[in-house]
Amino acid sequence: MARPRQPLLSRDRITGAALRIVDEEGLQALSTRRLAAVLGVTGPSLYNHFRTMDTLVDALVDQVVGQVDLSMFGRLDWRTALRDWARSYRAALAGHPNLVPALTRRAAHRPHSLRLADAVFGGLVAAGWPRAHATHIGASMRYFITGSALGSFAAGFPTDAELYAGTYPHLDQAHLLAQHQRSVDEGAFETGLEALLEGLEAQYARVVGTAENPRSGAAQ
């Protein structure tokens, strides 16, 4: 009797299964043994595609970052480009919050991450920002975007109204936040984003010069 064939492995199949594990159980749950069990293969067979768990996590991060739209840089003014990019970046990360902590490691090993950094930095420099300022802006935006994707502010408040009564008088409506999680979290992101952009526009006028159009930098 012929032995059943082992399911064929591919990088896409491995990363798909790995991302599901991370999304459902957290990054700490991802291991060679766990992934092999999900895929119905032996652990060593995974090494033909990913030599280490770090390289697999790199691939997962790069796959998600690769979903971020970068087409606005060089096409729109720098402020509009940053706004549209930030929204696209957050949307990509918001679907995989458990993977966000891994973004802080090994960026040089991820082509899409480097392509993103190149597009943002290049777009800002082309708009007239000094290189040092462009670096600081890119880092600040990344801190803000990744932080907003780590978890839900609204979902962090217990829904028991009695918990707040008397003790936390200013939080008398906090038990309702979880019911409006999406609108609260998106509203918080948009508020912070606009505050950042308004501050950068004022800084642009000081650094680059008031003679410049503060929203210049779009491709002609």
Side-chain angles (χ1 to χ4, degrees):
M1 182 177 178
R3 296 176 60 186
R5 295 182 60 186
Q6 195 174 56
L8 293 177
L9 279 180
S10 66
R11 286 179 66 90
D12 286 346
R13 185 163 177 255
I14 293 171
T15 56
L19 191 56
R20 285 192 295 274
I21 292 173
V22 173
D23 286 344
E24 295 171 6
E25 304 174 38
L27 196 58
Q28 73 284 350
L30 184 61
S31 66
T32 300
R33 178 178 296 182
R34 178 81 175 89
L35 185 56
V38 168
L39 291 168
V41 300
T42 59
S45 63
L46 298 172
Y47 299 131
N48 294 325
H49 300 274
F50 296 98
R51 295 181 61 184
T52 67
M53 191 55 61
D54 280 342
T55 59
L56 174 56
V57 172
D58 284 340
L60 298 183
V61 172
D62 216 40
Q63 178 178 314
V64 172
V65 172
Q67 300 170 12
V68 181
D69 184 11
L70 302 174
S71 65
M72 63 287 294
F73 292 105
R75 180 173 57 84
L76 303 174
D77 65 85
W78 67 265
R79 176 171 172 164
T80 304
L82 280 182
R83 179 190 292 109
D84 290 354
W85 164 70
R87 288 170 175 168
S88 179
Y89 198 1
R90 179 180 181 269
L93 299 183
H96 309 282
N98 291 336
L99 195 60
V100 172
L103 265 75
T104 61
R105 308 194 302 265
R106 295 166 53 89
H109 298 263
R110 303 166 185 161
H112 285 302
S113 298
L114 292 176
R115 194 170 297 116
L116 183 152
D118 182 71
V120 175
F121 180 79
L124 291 169
V125 171
W129 283 99
R131 295 174 69 88
H133 282 76
T135 299
H136 298 159
I137 293 168
S140 297
M141 294 293 291
R142 179 181 173 186
Y143 297 152
F144 170 67
I145 296 164
T146 55
S148 73
L150 274 173
S152 167
F153 172 83
F157 287 85
T159 58
D160 182 6
E162 294 299 320
L163 178 68
Y164 308 97
T167 307
Y168 309 103
H170 302 298
L171 298 180
D172 59 319
Q173 299 295 308
H175 63 286
L176 302 175
L177 286 174
Q179 299 176 27
H180 307 282
Q181 177 179 333
R182 181 172 179 176
S183 63
V184 170
D185 292 343
E186 289 184 357
F189 174 77
E190 290 295 329
T191 298
L193 180 58
E194 288 307 310
L196 269 173
L197 294 175
E198 288 174 10
L200 288 174
E201 189 161 357
Q203 188 176 145
Y204 185 92
R206 295 193 302 270
V207 172
V208 179
T210 55
E212 297 282 351
N213 179 349
R215 298 193 180 188
S216 65
Q220 301 297 318

